[in-house]
Amino acid sequence: MKAILTGLLLVCSILAIAQTDDFFTIERRIKDHIKNGRWDEVVVTAPDLVIADPTNGNGYYYTAMAFLKLNQPDKASEYLAQAEPLADAELKPLLSTLKNEINQYREANQVLELAEKQEKQGSKRAADEWKKLWELDKLKTEYALNAVELYVEQKNYPQALEILKDPAMANDPGAQALYKRINSTPEMTKINGYNEALLLGKQNMKNGNYSTAISNFSTALRFQPNDVEAGSQKKLAEDELAWQTTRKTNTLEAFENYLKGTTLRNHKAEADDIVMRALIRFGNKAASENNFKDMEYYFGKYMKQYPNGSENTAARQTMCDTYQAAADKEKDKKTAFAQKQSIAYLTKVKTICSSTPALETALKTANKKAIRYGRPNRGFIAYVYDSLAPIGLSFGTINNRKVGMYITVRANENLFQGNSFYTVNDQGMYDGSVFDDVRPTGETRTSHFDGMLGLTKKIAFPLWLYAGGGINYSQLSIQVDEYNDSGRFIESEWIKNTDQQFIKPVVEAGAIIDVGGFQLRGGGKMIDFKDIYYTLGVGFSFRRG
């Protein structure tokens, strides 16, 4: 019994080994058919693998591959489905690849049908479909040439050339000859010129040669005048050139001109930042130098151009501080000009910043001082009177701050009345008379004349004081009757008494009130430091200078 069992096992082993040898022999034969493209032989031979080992899916796999190559995708899918349950780890990737190829085949057939249909209908999309079909299997150059032919008919030369310069077409002499012929057409010359100029422009942009890039893009636009890309690239180059020039010039005006320019202004944010910082820097510099014009110019421009700028408050405060310091410097100067300057500076502070009680007080004080120091120096002419010499004239100046001068002359009416040519003294001796009989009547008169030089000084508007000194001249005259030798009366004459002629010192002082060009005065004079007389006057004044 044991010998029988042993014999059976030996027979089975021999049969299994023989079956395995048959499977590998058949598979080698199938692979040789595949290598030589004998797909019909594969279809005939592959089922033997299934018979040799029904548990192995390789037979179904090879059969499916052969049917696909024989353009029977449905049959290929049928055998592929039978192979999948029997696939081991080595076969599964092969089945997945084959499945994709079957799907691609079906897709290619659909594309082929669509391409043929659209070509018959004269549709422009036919060229795209032939191209798509060729891309599925680039070994089929006939599809590529179909697409090229249709693209050329449409004068879509770039697409045709794209196919012809593909490496898959490199070994096709006809394709290369067609490539050269298409590339030399006027249309392609134009396109190539455009592409070359556009490429050069982009390279020059990258290298920072913006001027050359602009020229390149202009050339591209000559080939294609309405091209959007060349136009936008040219605008970009123009803006970069403008910015490059601005940075090289590096002046406030240059950055302002960039911002006001007609380029794209892609660097606006950076330019604005530079301009803002420059305006503040120049404004602060001008403020430190008390250059009010430039200070207002730069700070004013900053606040106008950048109303929401972060330095607006600081700029206003700097201007106010500068004007306040200038006003403080002028306020103690005793000139109308200085006070007016102070008022102007304080008004700037009030305008730029807010008003305060202290500021209002300072303005009122400066205005009062400006009026006080700003009153003009005046000249005057006045009629002056005193009891001794009622006929008088005074003329001179009353100054606002400095000392003025005046001259006064006064006389009585006797000074202007004539005397005879001869004189008398206190002893009654007549000198120069032609009459021997001269008899005094007892009537006398005295002539008076004052001549004085003095000074005026303002105390407080409208009051001035005056004081001066000079001489007083007096001359006594007597009246006499003249008789001839027979005792007959001839006439009466006034003759000077030479012993009663005096020149004495005289001083005077008083006050002048001058309002609106009308002047009143009053005071007194003292002759020989003994006799005192009151003086009055009225006149008018006029502005000098």
Side-chain angles (χ1 to χ4, degrees), residues 360-435:
E360 293 298 333
T361 299
L363 274 167
K364 289 179 181 178
T365 301
N367 273 301
K368 289 178 181 179
K369 288 183 177 181
I371 293 172
R372 185 192 313 163
Y373 300 143
R375 291 191 178 98
N377 295 329
R378 303 182 73 83
F380 68 85
I381 298 175
Y383 163 74
V384 290
Y385 166 89
D386 66 51
S387 57
L388 190 62
I391 303 171
L393 180 67
S394 181
F395 59 92
T397 60
I398 48 173
N399 295 329
N400 187 41
R401 297 189 59 232
K402 295 182 179 180
V403 173
M405 296 184 66
Y406 72 92
I407 295 174
T408 298
V409 291
R410 278 188 292 260
N412 62 2
E413 60 184 7
N414 293 335
L415 184 67
F416 304 104
Q417 295 177 352
N419 290 301
S420 183
F421 60 87
Y422 62 96
T423 62
V424 68
N425 60 23
D426 285 345
Q427 287 74 37
M429 297 177 65
Y430 298 95
D431 181 23
S433 174
V434 296
F435 299 101

Side-chain angles (χ1 to χ4, degrees), residues 22-23 26-27 29-30 33 39-64 66-67 79 82:
D22 288 343
F23 183 88
I26 295 169
E27 188 173 30
R29 203 162 55 242
I30 292 171
H33 292 326
W39 299 108
D40 290 333
E41 294 296 330
V42 175
V43 171
V44 173
T45 309
D48 293 343
L49 281 181
V50 177
I51 297 170
D53 186 357
T55 64
N56 193 306
N58 285 15
Y60 296 112
Y61 165 68
Y62 291 128
T63 305
F67 277 123
Y79 279 94
Q82 294 182 64

